[in-house]
């Protein structure tokens, strides 16, 4: 007989400790006997607890002669430094929260998922969600349509800010920019996720999903103060406070406050942000409850926008000086969000768990945008318009279900069943200039604001322009055979979409201009085979039903809702995971309608449109973990073939999709200096392949490479760890167009210096 000692699948011990299982000479550890995959609130941020600087390291008695006080304090400080450095290590967890399946280890599921921890976010001094995702070789970040919002590209398909989830729930995430300081983990799932999380309300997230996990109080008290500075003059800081109290530490409270303001590394571009998160939780032996309430404000003034190319352009313009700003002083956005959620879980028995969640978000955005349209790429001459857009969004989202574990003979079952719903109302309007200004991206003349005289709707009191109601029911059964060597997941989600689009009117709800009431059953099949305890081969076929995308930003058809569509993904892959080191290889095929933003002549105005089908095939490699003691690596690469099909008249059939790199490579290397305790150096390289700028495939962006360098040093002050960090992004100050996604060009950031300190009190 062989004994295996294994924690629960969500990586945390239950209140009763680890589950001890006895099996006959099996290679794989068995799943726990009780209903697993619960969010046990006291340990929900166990990974966070492991990654934060410890303020109370465990003391061990010294054998032999008693140390003098000086010697004892020196030994204690040395332990503090070693412990803090270990907990500050770059860590990427294989696995994460998988919607209806709960929290899973990456090795046990037929999907490619990984999680970036809060310690990585802190040590890399990430100020936006896009900066966190620079660690991922399968993700690239660009801007939204004509504005300064971050939009993400996974497997060649976009993820709008509307479609980033929190704790597996859609509709409650700030829509344009996200402050990462509020979150314990940033999780990336590659591939279609409609079965796992339901349809994404914004109509994106076909190529993957980004899920954020709120911070909660850990078993170790946290009082952490951070100050940071970014060139040219962007300063800020944060406070992270957490405590557990009451009998058996049943109550938890976590408070996070973060903010910054000043001019960033782009000339004249000013950014400001403020974020506040208050998180409460309570548990007993059978019930877990958490409540998260958050506020976020972000803003960009005199921002450097993306640029469009006029219809007669025959070449891609040379990028401007890395810090150059061809935006106008009166271009800005102001973003305010209040959001939160309530989670409840209750164990009916050791085999059955009920769960439910409810969340909401209220967003109030406004911005005046101006994007240059280059008409002469040799000189940089072009035109620029002006559009003011207020945007008010009210969302409510909920899910509920049951998870049950039981055996039928030699087969172990995990049943997941339940439903979800999302209600979203968007109120917006626009006001645009009927004239444009002459501009030049290399020698920009800053002008007075244009008069926005052409209105759509009431910009002073925006009226409803879109209603989205998404309802779904889901069921799945994960069957495990041969002592958990083989796991087969089969399930379906019934989804119903009711989407109404309205005309712009000065008051009230305008006439309906588009209506979709469609439903579909989207199945999923996934297979995992474990040849050994540390390896897995997997396959999945998953379908998704998504709302049609909604034209937004600086486009003349803003608010237009396109028809819902169905997508199908096939994926096969292999994984290897030792706990300290993991790697995965995946091959996939997935498709969706081809959508992009198109300039209307040289008028300085643009239209969002769809044409044909985009089919992406690719290979992904991810490598994370410790290579040698003190040496860690995170990165990998992708190769993508993005083909257009069924285009109008067949004119673009066989061409490559706009803005999808033919390959991407990321590498992060972290090394603890052996001759200086507490010191770590970090290097990163980001390499992106050729991107086509137009569907005719006559214009493309060249390959670009960026190098980053950083260092940190942890030492003890009054027996508490203090960490100093210094980093340089784009070390060579390379000028390059980072993205051509959707047909517009976004320039990469210039050389940027970062400095921060973190003190544990």
């Amino acid at each position: 007989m062989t004994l295996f000692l294994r924690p629960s699948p969500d990586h945390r011990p239950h209140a009763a400790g680890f589950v001890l299982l006895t099996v006959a000479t099996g290679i794989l550890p068995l799943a726990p006997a009780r209903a697993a995959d619960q969010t046990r609130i006291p340990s929900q941020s166990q990974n966070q607890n492991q990654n934060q600087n410890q303020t109370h390291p465990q003391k061990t008695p010294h054998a032999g002669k008693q140390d003098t006080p000086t010697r004892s304090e020196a030994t204690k400080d040395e332990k503090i430094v070693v412990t803090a450095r270990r907990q500050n290590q770059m860590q990427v967890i294989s696995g994460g929260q998988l919607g209806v399946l709960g929290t899973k280890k990456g090795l046990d599921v037929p999907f490619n998922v990984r999680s970036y921890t809060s310690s990585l976010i802190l040590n890399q001094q990430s100020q936006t969600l896009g900066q966190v995702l620079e660690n991922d070789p399968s993700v690239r970040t660009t801007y939204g349509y004509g504005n300064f919002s971050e939009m993400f590209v996974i497997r060649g398909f976009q993820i709008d800010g509307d479609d980033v989830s929190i704790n597996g729930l859609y509709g409650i995430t700030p829509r344009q920019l996200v402050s990462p300081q509020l979150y314990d983990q940033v999780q990336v799932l590659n591939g279609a996720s409609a079965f796992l999380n339901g349809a994404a309300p914004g109509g994106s997230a076909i190529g993957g999903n980004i899920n954020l996990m709120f911070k909660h109080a850990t078993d170790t008290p946290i009082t952490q103060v951070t100050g940071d500075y970014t060139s040219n003059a962007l300063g800020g800081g944060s406070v992270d406070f957490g405590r557990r109290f009451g009998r058996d530490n049943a109550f938890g409270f976590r408070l996070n406050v973060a903010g910054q303001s000043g001019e960033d590394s782009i000339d004249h571009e000013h950014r400001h942000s403020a974020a506040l998160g208050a998180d409460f939780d309570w548990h007993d032996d059978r019930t877990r409850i958490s409540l998260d309430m958050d506020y976020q404000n972000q803003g960009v003034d005199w921002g450097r926008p993306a640029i469009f190319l006029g219809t007669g352009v025959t070449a891609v313009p040379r990028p401007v000086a890395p810090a150059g700003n061809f935006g106008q002083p009166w271009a800005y956005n102001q973003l305010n969000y209040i959001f939160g959620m309530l989670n409840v879980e209750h164990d009916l028995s050791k085999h059955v768990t009920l769960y439910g969640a409810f969340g909401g978000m209220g967003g109030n955005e406004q911005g005046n945008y101006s994007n240059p349209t280059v008409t002469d790429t040799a000189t940089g001459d072009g035109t620029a318009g002006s559009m003011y857009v207020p945007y008010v969004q009210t969302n409510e989202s909920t899910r509920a279900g049951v998870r049950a574990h039981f055996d039928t003979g030699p087969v172990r079952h995990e049943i997941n069943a339940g439903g979800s719903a999302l209600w979203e109302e968007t109120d917006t309007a626009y006001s645009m200039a009927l004239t444009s200004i002459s501009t030049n991206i290399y020698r920009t003349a800053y002008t007075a604001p244009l008069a926005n005289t052409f209105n759509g709707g009431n910009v002073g009191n925006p009226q409803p322009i879109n209603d989205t109601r998404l309802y779904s029911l889901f069921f799945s059964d994960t069957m495990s055979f041969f002592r958990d060597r083989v796991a087969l997941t089969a399930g379906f989600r019934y989804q119903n979409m009711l989407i109404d689009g309205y005309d712009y009117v000065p008051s009230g709800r305008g006439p309906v201009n588009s209506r979709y009431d469609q439903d579909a059953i989207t199945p999923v099949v996934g297979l995992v085979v474990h040849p050994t305890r540390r390896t897995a081969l997997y396959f999945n076929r998953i379908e998704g039903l998504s709302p049609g995308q909604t034209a937004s930003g600086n486009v003349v058809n803003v608010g237009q809702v396109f028809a819902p569509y169905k997508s199908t993904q096939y994926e096969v892959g292999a994984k290897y995971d030792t706990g300290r080191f993991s790697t995965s290889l995946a091959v996939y095929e997935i498709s969706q309608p081809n959508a992009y933003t198109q300039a209307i002549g040289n008028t300085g105005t643009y239209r969002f449109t769809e044409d044909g089908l985009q089919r992406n095939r690719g290979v992904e490699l991810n490598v994370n973990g410790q290579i040698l003691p003190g040496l860690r690596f995170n990165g990998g690469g992708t190769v993508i073939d993005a083909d257009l099909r069924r285009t109008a008249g067949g004119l673009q059939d066989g061409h490559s999709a706009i803005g999808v790199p033919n390959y991407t490579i990321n590498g992060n290397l972290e090394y603890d200096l052996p001759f200086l305790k507490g010191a770590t150096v970090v290097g990163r390289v980001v390499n992106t392949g050729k991107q086509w700028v137009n569907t005719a495939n006559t214009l493309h962006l060249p390959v670009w490479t960026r190098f980053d360098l950083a260092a940190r040093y942890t030492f003890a002050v009054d027996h508490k760890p203090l960490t100093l960090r210094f980093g340089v992004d784009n070390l060579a100050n390379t000028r390059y167009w980072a993205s051509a996604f959707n047909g517009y060009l976004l320039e990469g950031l210039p050389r940027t210096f970062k400095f921060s300190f973190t003190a544990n009190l």
Side-chain angles (χ1 to χ4, degrees):
M1 305 295 284
T2 303
L3 294 180
F4 289 104
L5 191 61
R6 173 187 175 160
S8 64
D10 60 356
H11 313 296
R12 295 180 295 269
H14 297 296
F18 287 70
V19 179
L20 186 65
L21 300 174
T22 304
V23 299
T25 61
I27 293 179
L28 294 174
L30 296 179
R34 58 163 294 157
D37 306 320
Q38 302 163 349
T39 306
R40 184 163 291 278
I41 297 303
S43 313
Q44 186 177 30
S45 299
Q46 184 92 1
N47 291 319
Q48 166 74 9
N49 188 29
Q50 294 170 350
N51 294 316
Q52 296 291 340
N53 294 336
Q54 279 281 17
T55 59
H56 302 289
Q58 183 179 359
K59 298 181 180 179
T60 56
H62 297 283
K65 185 178 179 180
Q66 180 70 32
D67 287 335
T68 65
T70 302
R71 175 65 176 170
S72 176
E73 290 179 2
T75 302
K76 178 180 179 181
D77 286 348
E78 183 175 296
K79 289 182 179 180
I80 290 173
V81 170
V82 172
T83 302
R85 181 169 70 173
R86 184 187 312 118
Q87 293 162 344
N88 272 327
Q89 292 176 359
M90 176 175 64
Q91 185 183 18
V92 181
I93 299 170
S94 175
Q97 209 274 354
L98 289 174
V100 302
L101 299 181
T103 302
K104 297 288 187 180
K105 287 182 61 178
L107 203 63
D108 295 337
V109 293
F111 306 102
N112 188 358
V113 59
R114 59 213 163 276
S115 303
Y116 299 94
T117 63
S118 57
S119 65
L120 181 146
I121 295 171
L122 180 65
N123 283 317
Q124 294 188 352
Q125 306 177 69
S126 301
Q127 297 162 353
T128 68
L129 181 57
Q131 292 179 7
V132 178
L133 295 173
E134 288 177 348
N135 293 282
D136 198 293
S138 66
V139 181
R140 289 297 181 262
T141 301
T142 184
Y143 278 0
Y145 311 126
N147 54 35
F148 308 116
S149 66
E150 288 187 329
M151 186 173 69
F152 311 101
V153 182
I154 302 181
R155 292 188 171 175
F157 296 115
Q158 72 188 59
I159 300 181
D160 299 329
D162 308 64
D163 296 337
V164 174
S165 60
I166 299 181
N167 288 31
L169 203 62
Y170 280 132
I172 64 172
T173 308
R175 200 178 73 94
Q176 291 201 37
L177 295 170
V178 172
S179 296
Q181 297 92 340
L182 300 179
Y183 304 101
D184 182 47
Q185 292 183 18
V186 174
Q187 302 175 343
V188 178
L189 169 70
N190 288 17
S193 61
F195 165 76
L196 300 173
N197 300 297
S204 63
I206 292 298
N209 171 256
I210 298 170
N211 182 53
L212 311 175
M213 299 295 290
F214 281 126
K215 291 180 178 179
H216 286 113
T218 63
D219 294 330
T220 301
I222 294 174
T223 305
Q224 193 173 77
V225 177
T226 298
D228 58 73
Y229 172 84
T230 303
S231 60
N232 294 322
L234 181 62
S238 63
V239 175
D240 188 354
F241 176 86
R243 292 291 187 276
R244 301 210 67 82
F245 51 92
R247 184 177 180 181
D248 298 325
N249 281 335
F251 294 90
F253 172 68
R254 188 75 174 265
L255 176 68
N256 279 269
V257 181
Q260 60 178 189
S261 181
E263 182 181 325
D264 61 23
S265 55
I266 297 174
D267 293 341
H268 309 302
E269 183 174 279
H270 188 283
R271 290 180 178 258
H272 63 270
S273 68
L276 172 65
D279 306 287
F280 309 86
D281 66 76
W282 172 85
H283 75 96
D284 63 14
D285 289 339
R286 301 182 65 180
T287 305
R288 297 158 297 281
I289 301 174
S290 66
L291 176 65
D292 304 279
M293 298 183 294
D294 299 81
Y295 167 79
Q296 180 187 295
N297 167 268
Q298 293 256 18
V300 181
D301 297 294
W302 201 338
R304 182 171 74 183
I307 71 167
F308 290 83
L309 301 181
T311 53
V313 166
T314 59
V316 174
R318 180 174 56 91
V320 306
N325 191 343
F326 40 75
Q328 292 296 324
W330 36 267
Y332 76 96
N333 68 358
Q334 185 68 241
L335 317 170
N336 291 281
Y337 308 96
I338 296 176
F339 56 105
M341 69 183 305
L342 171 69
N343 273 288
V344 179
E345 290 184 349
H346 178 70
D347 299 332
L348 291 179
S349 69
K350 67 178 181 178
H351 297 292
V352 181
T353 297
L354 299 177
Y355 64 89
F358 177 81
M361 189 269 287
N364 191 334
E365 308 170 5
Q366 56 180 319
N368 200 22
Y369 307 104
S370 177
N371 292 75
T373 299
V374 174
T375 57
D376 188 329
T377 56
T379 64
D381 287 339
T383 60
S386 173
M387 175 178 276
Y388 172 75
V389 180
Y391 194 96
V392 179
Q393 193 173 54
T394 304
N395 296 350
E396 296 174 342
S397 184
T398 187
R399 69 163 180 259
V402 59
R403 296 191 185 102
H405 297 249
F406 57 89
D407 295 342
T408 55
V411 181
R412 182 189 307 276
H413 295 265
E414 179 187 318
I415 300 292
N416 294 278
S420 64
L422 185 146
W423 303 267
E424 177 182 288
E425 179 183 309
T426 300
D427 304 342
T428 188
Y430 66 89
S431 179
M432 60 188 298
L434 295 178
T435 60
S436 60
I437 59 174
S438 296
T439 188
N440 185 289
I441 61 173
Y442 305 122
R443 300 176 303 278
T444 304
Y446 302 125
T447 70
L450 290 172
N452 294 332
T453 57
F454 182 79
N455 296 329
N458 186 344
V459 294
N461 184 21
Q463 301 301 308
I465 198 69
N466 175 258
D467 275 339
T468 298
R469 287 147 290 171
L470 308 177
Y471 305 101
S472 70
L473 299 172
F474 57 83
F475 175 86
S476 72
D477 184 6
T478 298
M479 295 165 283
S480 300
F481 310 86
F482 309 115
R483 299 193 181 99
D484 292 344
R485 287 179 181 268
V486 179
L488 175 66
T489 299
F492 68 90
R493 186 184 283 263
Y494 168 77
Q495 302 192 87
N496 178 246
M497 299 181 175
L498 294 90
I499 305 170
D500 290 328
Y502 306 99
D503 287 337
Y504 289 98
V505 293
S507 61
R509 196 179 296 265
V512 175
N513 59 34
S514 61
R515 169 168 288 169
Y516 301 102
D517 185 352
Q518 298 187 11
D519 57 8
I521 293 178
T522 54
V524 61
V525 176
L527 177 68
V528 180
V529 179
H530 294 279
T532 70
R533 184 174 63 177
R534 295 177 175 177
T535 60
L537 304 175
Y538 73 93
F539 162 82
N540 71 63
R541 181 192 184 277
I542 186 169
E543 292 184 4
L545 180 67
S546 299
Q549 297 191 43
T550 301
S552 62
N554 187 14
V555 292
V556 295
N557 60 331
V558 61
Q560 180 180 351
V561 181
F562 291 84
Y565 56 89
K566 206 170 184 179
S567 62
T568 304
Q569 172 187 279
Y570 297 89
E571 180 180 357
V572 294
K575 303 176 185 179
Y576 174 74
D577 191 347
T578 67
R580 291 191 175 186
F581 179 84
S582 66
T583 184
S584 65
L585 179 68
V587 181
Y588 65 88
E589 176 182 304
I590 189 170
S591 61
Q592 75 162 24
N594 179 43
Y596 56 95
T597 303
Q598 187 176 47
I600 303 176
N602 296 324
T603 62
T605 57
Y606 321 97
R607 176 179 295 276
F608 182 69
T609 186
E610 288 185 354
D611 180 21
L613 187 73
Q614 178 181 336
R615 187 204 64 186
N616 291 3
R617 289 175 171 172
V619 180
E620 295 171 340
L621 173 68
N622 289 278
V623 180
N624 304 297
Q626 182 172 276
I627 302 173
L628 297 169
L631 182 64
R632 295 169 294 278
F633 179 82
N634 165 51
T638 69
V639 177
I640 302 178
D641 179 23
D643 285 340
L644 299 182
R645 298 185 165 199
R646 306 177 193 172
T647 59
L651 295 178
Q652 314 298 344
D653 287 1
H655 290 184
S656 295
I658 292 175
V660 180
N662 58 349
Y663 76 88
T664 59
I665 298 174
N666 284 45
N668 296 262
L669 200 62
E670 187 172 275
Y671 180 59
D672 297 332
L673 298 179
F675 52 84
L676 183 60
K677 264 192 179 62
T680 301
V681 293
V682 184
R684 176 166 63 190
V685 59
V686 181
N687 178 232
T688 301
K690 182 172 68 175
Q691 304 174 57
W692 292 104
V693 179
N694 58 355
T695 55
N697 287 180
T698 59
L699 304 176
H700 74 272
L701 302 186
V703 174
W704 61 265
T705 305
R706 194 190 85 195
F707 297 94
D708 304 334
L709 192 64
R712 65 178 181 268
Y713 179 53
T714 301
F715 55 97
V717 177
D718 194 22
H719 313 305
K720 301 290 179 63
L722 176 66
T723 301
L724 304 179
R725 307 177 188 88
F726 177 76
V728 185
D729 292 345
N730 192 3
L731 184 66
N733 203 29
T734 304
R735 65 169 73 188
Y736 61 95
W737 296 117
S739 173
F741 200 81
N742 276 324
Y744 43 81
L745 308 184
L746 178 67
E747 186 160 8
L749 292 178
R751 181 189 294 123
T752 303
F753 297 94
K754 296 180 178 180
F755 172 79
S756 70
F757 71 87
T758 297
N760 282 32
L761 307 178

